Amino acid sequence: MKTFNFKPDLFVFLGQESPKEIRALIGYSILLGLTNTALIAIINQAAKTVTNHESVTWPFILYAILMILFLLFARRSNRENIEKSRDVIYRFKIKILKDIFNSNLSRVDEIGRFYISEVLIRDTQQVAQSIVVVVTACQSVATLIFLSLYLATVSISAFFIIMCASAIIV
């Protein structure tokens, strides 16, 4: 049986260099996933309320409050994740530069300081772009988990069909 091991170097690096930032990322992802799922649940409840010819005032008010919370969480999450990723990248650059300066200087001169700087800039840009992907992926995974749990409360058979299909696809 094939096992799925997804632990790329970026995750290892982030786990070692910034565990606090990873916890914050996971926390914000959970908040966004929960509020996103709650918004969908309210829409479903409001649709049910409309079919029963009842007032949708309270679901609308609750939806408006949750939408504001969702937007605030998303804005704060994005702002803090950008700031924290800048800090991680800065620490990454400093660590690499420290390693370079602690290494054999004749080897550094042989390779060329300009070339090393060029590679460092390129690699830090890759890390910066990868962090955005990691943030988006964490938020999407959290949303999928909570939507799956919500689906299980709505229809357990639909939940099992989706989980089986997902297991076959993955």
Side-chain angles (χ1 to χ4, degrees), residues 4 25 40 50 54 78-79 81 100 131 143 149 156 162:
F4 185 69
L25 168 67
I40 292 170
V50 166
E54 298 173 5
N78 289 335
R79 186 181 327 120
N81 285 325
I100 289 170
I131 288 175
T143 298
L149 292 173
I156 195 71
I162 295 295

Side-chain angles (χ1 to χ4, degrees), residues 78-94:
N78 289 335
R79 186 181 327 120
E80 287 199 19
N81 285 325
I82 288 170
E83 288 173 11
K84 288 178 181 179
S85 65
R86 281 188 205 141
D87 291 343
V88 168
I89 291 167
Y90 175 76
R91 287 196 312 261
F92 175 71
K93 283 181 184 179
I94 295 300

